[in-house]
Amino acid sequence: MYAIESLAKRLGSVMGLVFEKAGSPTIYLAADTVWTNEVQDTINRYKPDVIVLNTGDARITGFDTGIIMSSGDTLRAHTLAPNAKIVSVHMDAVNHATVSRADLRQYVIENSLQGSVLIPEDGETLKFCPRHLWR
């Protein structure tokens, strides 16, 4: 999609954030992006304890690829960071998302990711501390 100048302009650039603090888990917030070398490099460089991915696979009419990550990207993240908790968000909230929480839950089961991928409900709070998770 970025090869089409007018669409690339509409989609804009993307940035992610890494939160680090001594004694606290490192958190990588990938934001609205597709899987890129920069995403992979960030995971490899910072080795985050928590990775937040927007995995709703939002689409633009007329294109068969998403403008944000999808279910398969949870597996990619897990493969790169098998000890990280992956928090999948940005589903069931916008009308152009093609992956629902139910879809992702099924994908997680099919790929044995239940211990690694968290799919919070709207308004749910997750708290992380070293080696522990409270829901």
Side-chain angles (χ1 to χ4, degrees):
M1 286 183 272
Y2 279 91
I4 302 169
E5 187 177 335
S6 61
L7 186 54
K9 192 173 193 174
R10 282 181 48 206
L11 292 173
S13 298
V14 177
M15 66 171 236
L17 301 168
V18 175
F19 299 92
E20 291 182 297
K21 181 182 176 188
S24 295
T26 297
I27 301 171
Y28 173 40
L29 174 60
D32 279 351
T33 185
V34 293
W35 192 273
T36 64
N37 289 336
E38 291 81 6
V39 170
Q40 185 169 316
D41 293 346
T42 299
I43 293 171
N44 285 329
R45 177 178 176 190
Y46 291 97
K47 301 185 182 355
D49 301 294
V50 178
I51 302 170
V52 182
L53 303 177
N54 293 349
T55 55
D57 194 24
R59 303 281 176 109
I60 292 177
T61 302
F63 292 89
D64 61 358
T65 59
I67 58 173
I68 63 172
M69 292 187 195
S70 66
S71 303
D73 296 307
T74 59
L75 182 58
R76 284 185 185 190
H78 173 72
T79 300
L80 280 181
N83 296 318
K85 292 292 183 186
I86 299 159
V87 181
S88 290
V89 298
H90 212 47
M91 295 162 286
D92 301 332
V94 293
N95 64 356
H96 62 288
T98 63
V99 174
S100 68
R101 285 184 185 97
D103 296 335
L104 185 57
R105 283 187 194 102
Q106 185 61 40
Y107 181 87
V108 164
I109 291 167
E110 290 169 0
N111 289 277
S112 302
L113 298 172
Q114 296 93 320
S116 298
V117 177
L118 304 170
I119 307 167
E121 294 297 328
D122 290 343
E124 184 175 357
T125 299
L126 303 176
K127 295 182 181 182
F128 299 91
C129 70
R131 298 194 176 116
H132 295 91
L133 166 69
W134 290 276
R135 265 192 128 165

